Amino acid sequence: MKFSAKIYKIGINPYVLLPSVILKCLFIEAGKKKGNIPVKLIINEQLFIQNLVKYSGKWRLYLNTPMRKIAGKDVGDIIEINIEFDPSERITPMHPKLETALQKNTKAQQAFYQLSTSRQKEILRYINFLKTEESVDRNVKRAIGFLTGTEKFVGRDNL
């Protein structure tokens, strides 16, 4: 489904609002009207994976910097987007060092699996995107401290 929309900004986040007819189709395809809706976007023949989210009463499609650069568009501009529901399962892998640390600490492992799925993903993504082994080692240790209640991690107080 193709649409054009003006790029708005809420806080620091650029986004577009989808036409209601497209929203209705995505709700039907996703089988839901709550929670994030996974979508695929094509902007200037480039594929992007994103989530459609409801925030402050409106369904928003946030456009990150690479998306806007590909389109050559920014806040206030009109952008053309092809969008479709993405039924593929999205799995965030666990970094091997975190997996090993959790296996060695059953208290941390139990705490991790009691977290909400979104909080688990937050921790996994944070560690997966670190660039150096030293950063990974340091942050795996901090994550274990967070899970056992002795440290802050990713800006959150200990459990």
Side-chain angles (χ1 to χ4, degrees):
M1 297 173 277
K2 190 173 188 174
F3 71 98
S4 297
K6 183 175 181 178
I7 302 174
Y8 297 98
K9 191 174 189 179
I10 187 166
I12 61 168
N13 301 305
Y15 70 94
V16 295
L17 298 172
L18 280 68
S20 60
V21 67
I22 291 178
L23 273 176
K24 287 177 186 174
C25 288
L26 290 171
F27 294 155
I28 290 168
E29 291 175 12
K32 63 181 184 173
K33 291 183 181 180
K34 292 183 179 182
N36 295 345
I37 297 180
V39 293
K40 292 180 190 176
L41 312 174
I42 297 178
I43 301 172
N44 282 357
E45 299 181 17
Q46 178 73 38
L47 176 67
F48 294 96
I49 303 299
Q50 187 62 295
N51 285 311
L52 182 61
V53 297
K54 191 170 187 178
Y55 177 74
S56 196
K58 295 180 181 177
W59 284 95
R60 301 169 196 266
L61 178 63
Y62 290 97
L63 302 175
N64 61 32
T65 301
M67 292 173 184
R68 295 188 322 275
K69 279 187 178 181
I70 287 288
K73 305 288 182 181
D74 210 342
V75 176
D77 295 336
I78 304 294
I79 188 169
E80 285 192 12
I81 299 172
N82 282 308
I83 189 169
E84 65 181 65
F85 172 65
D86 182 8
S88 62
E89 187 175 2
R90 296 183 182 178
I91 298 172
T92 304
M94 184 175 292
H95 193 285
K97 289 186 176 185
L98 178 61
E99 186 172 18
T100 299
L102 288 174
Q103 288 171 352
K104 290 179 181 177
N105 188 319
T106 55
K107 182 179 178 184
Q109 185 179 50
Q110 288 172 346
F112 180 80
Y113 288 110
Q114 288 177 350
L115 294 173
S116 67
T117 304
S118 61
R119 183 67 57 86
Q120 289 177 20
K121 283 183 186 178
E122 180 181 17
I123 292 170
L124 296 175
R125 287 179 181 152
Y126 185 85
I127 292 173
N128 286 341
F129 286 110
L130 294 170
K131 294 184 182 355
T132 67
E133 288 303 309
E134 294 82 20
S135 293
V136 170
D137 292 341
R138 183 174 59 252
N139 283 281
V140 164
K141 183 179 176 185
R142 288 178 61 212
I144 297 301
F146 170 75
L147 293 166
T148 57
T150 61
E151 269 193 66
K152 282 186 171 187
F153 183 67
V154 199
R156 301 199 184 271
D157 289 330
N158 55 6
L159 295 176

